[in-house]
C-alpha cells in the first residue's frame, strides 16, 4: 500500500486495454480503489479481474465517453459506490493516420474530436462539481507529443492533441486555489493497439525507426505526475529536444522531425532502441 494512494478513488477512462489498463493496474498496485470505463464490456471485465487480483476494490462501468447519458451514469455509479473521486484519468481516445488531402481527413478530425476531446471535456465537467465539493482532486488528461509538435500524416490526431493540451492549460488556471490539480501527459509513440490498423508505409515518417514506449512506462509517469502535482509531463525526456527546437522556431522543429526519420539520429536521441512500433505490435495477437 502506497500512503499517497491507499483507498483513494481513481477513475480511468479507456481502461479496457493499452495505456488505460496499465494506469488502472498501476494505481491498484498502490492500494487505490479503481473505477474503469470503456465501451467494450468483455475486455473491461478482464481488466476488472486483473485489478481485483491485485487486492484492489474495483468498479467496472461500460461507458462510451461520447454519450452524455453514459458519462452521467459513470460518475453517478462512482459516487454511489465510493462516495468521491480523487483522481480522474481522461485517457479514452482514438487516433487516425492520414494526409490532409485524404478523402477521410475531415471525418477523422471529427471522430477523434468526439472521442478524445469532447469525451474528455464531458467527463471532466461532470467530475468537477464533485471535486470542488471535496475541495480536492486531480484531473489527468492524456495528450501526446503530437499535442506540442505535429508530424506529417498525423494532422487529425495532432489537432485534437493540441486541443487537449490547451483545454488542460486553461482548466488548470481556472481551478487554481480550489485544491484541484490538473496534469497533462504527452507520451511519444507507445506500443498499444491505437495504430494497429494503420498501414506501416503510411505512418508519420519520424515513426519509421522509433521504438515505442511501453504502456507501463506511461502509467508510471501518470502515477508520478499525480503524486508530485506535475502540470505537464513529456516522455521520454529526450522528446523535449524536439519541443525545444519547435519553441525556438518551426523551421528547427521541422528539421528535427525530418532528422528523426534517419536511424542514427533517432538512435542518438534515444528514440530508436531496436524494435519499431509495427514489429512490436504485430508480435502480439490482435485484440
Ligand atoms: N499509443 C500511442 O502511441 C499514444 C501516444 C500518446 C498518447 N496516446 C493516447 O493514450 C490514450 C490511450 O490510447 P492507447 O494508446 O492505450 O490506445 P488503445 O489501446 O487503442 O486504447 C484506447 C482506449 O480508449 C477506449 N476508447 C476509445 N474510444 C472510446 C469511447 N468513445 N468511449 C470510451 N472509451 C473509448 C478504448 O476502449 P473501447 O474500444 O473498449 O471503448 C481503449 O480502452 C489515447 O487518448 C491516445 O491518444 C497514445
Amino acid at each position: 500500500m502506497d500512503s499517497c494512494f491507499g483507498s483513494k478513488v481513481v477513475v480511468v477512462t479507456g481502461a479496457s486495454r493499452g495505456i488505460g489498463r496499465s494506469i488502472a493496474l498501476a494505481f491498484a498496485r498502490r492500494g487505490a480503489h479503481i473505477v474503469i470505463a470503456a465501451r467494450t464490456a468483455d475486455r473491461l471485465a478482464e481488466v476488472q479481474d486483473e485489478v481485483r487480483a491485485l487486492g484492489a476494490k474495483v468498479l467496472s462501468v461500460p461507458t462510451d465517453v461520447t454519450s452524455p447519458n453514459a458519462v452521467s451514469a459513470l460518475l453517478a455509479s462512482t459516487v454511489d459506490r465510493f462516495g468521491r473521486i480523487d483522481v480522474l484519468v481522461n485517457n479514452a481516445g482514438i487516433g487516425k493516420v492520414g494526409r490532409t488531402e485524404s478523402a477521410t481527413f475531415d471525418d477523422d478530425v471529427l471522430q477523434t474530436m468526439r472521442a478524445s476531446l469532447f469525451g474528455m471535456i464531458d467527463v471532466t465537467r461532470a467530475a468537477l462539481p464533485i471535486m470542488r465539493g471535496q475541495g480536492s482532486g486531480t484531473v489527468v488528461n492524456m495528450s501526446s507529443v503530437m499535442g506540442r509538435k505535429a508530424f506529417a500524416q498525423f494532422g487529425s490526431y495532432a489537432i485534437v492533441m493540441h486541443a487537449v493540451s490547451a483545454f488542460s492549460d486553461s482548466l488548470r488556471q481556472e481551478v487554481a486555489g480550489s485544491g484541484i490539480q490538473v496534469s497533462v501527459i504527452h507520451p511519444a509513440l507507445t506500443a498499444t493497439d491505437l495504430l494497429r490498423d494503420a498501414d506501416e508505409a503510411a505512418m508519420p515518417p519520424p515513426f519509421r525507426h522509433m521504438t515505442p514506449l511501453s504502456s507501463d512506462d506511461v502509467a508510471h509517469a501518470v502515477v508520478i505526475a499525480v503524486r508530485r502535482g506535475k502540470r505537464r509531463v513529456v516522455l521520454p525526456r529526450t522528446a523535449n529536444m524536439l519541443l525545444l527546437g519547435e519553441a525556438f522556431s518551426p523551421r528547427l522543429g521541422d528539421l528535427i522531425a525530418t532528422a528523426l526519420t534517419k536511424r542514427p539520429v533517432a538512435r542518438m536521441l534515444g528514440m530508436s532502441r531496436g524494435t519499431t512500433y509495427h514489429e512490436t505490435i504485430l508480435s502480439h495477437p490482435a485484440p
Side-chain angles (χ1 to χ4, degrees), residues 93-221:
I94 60 170
K96 310 264 183 192
V97 166
R99 302 177 71 85
T100 309
E101 291 144 293
S102 77
T104 60
F105 186 79
D106 46 1
D107 194 47
D108 291 348
V109 175
L110 213 60
Q111 281 189 39
T112 312
M113 280 268 177
R114 285 204 184 107
S116 306
L117 178 67
F118 289 118
M120 171 181 290
I121 292 172
D122 227 27
V123 179
T124 304
R125 282 166 52 86
L128 281 176
I130 299 163
M131 290 185 174
R132 283 200 188 273
Q134 299 165 179
S136 67
T138 300
V139 178
V140 180
N141 291 336
M142 194 57 69
S143 178
S144 159
V145 169
M146 295 299 105
R148 310 290 296 172
K149 167 69 181 167
F151 285 165
Q153 286 146 233
F154 217 13
S156 61
Y157 183 73
I159 288 168
V160 178
M161 293 300 108
H162 272 72
V164 167
S165 179
F167 169 58
S168 308
D169 267 358
S170 62
L171 176 64
R172 191 183 61 246
Q173 293 164 63
E174 286 172 21
V175 298
S178 69
I180 301 170
Q181 67 184 42
V182 179
S183 299
V184 58
I185 315 294
H186 297 272
L189 186 63
T190 305
T192 71
D193 288 321
L194 188 79
L195 304 176
R196 177 186 278 272
D197 296 334
D199 177 4
E200 189 170 3
M203 289 281 269
F207 289 175
R208 196 170 297 147
H209 303 295
M210 209 175 269
T211 302
L213 297 165
S214 75
S215 53
D216 289 342
D217 294 335
V218 182
H220 182 68

Side-chain angles (χ1 to χ4, degrees), residues 63-74 122 126:
T63 308
D64 183 338
V65 295
T66 67
S67 155
N69 288 342
V71 168
S72 300
L74 167 65
D122 227 27

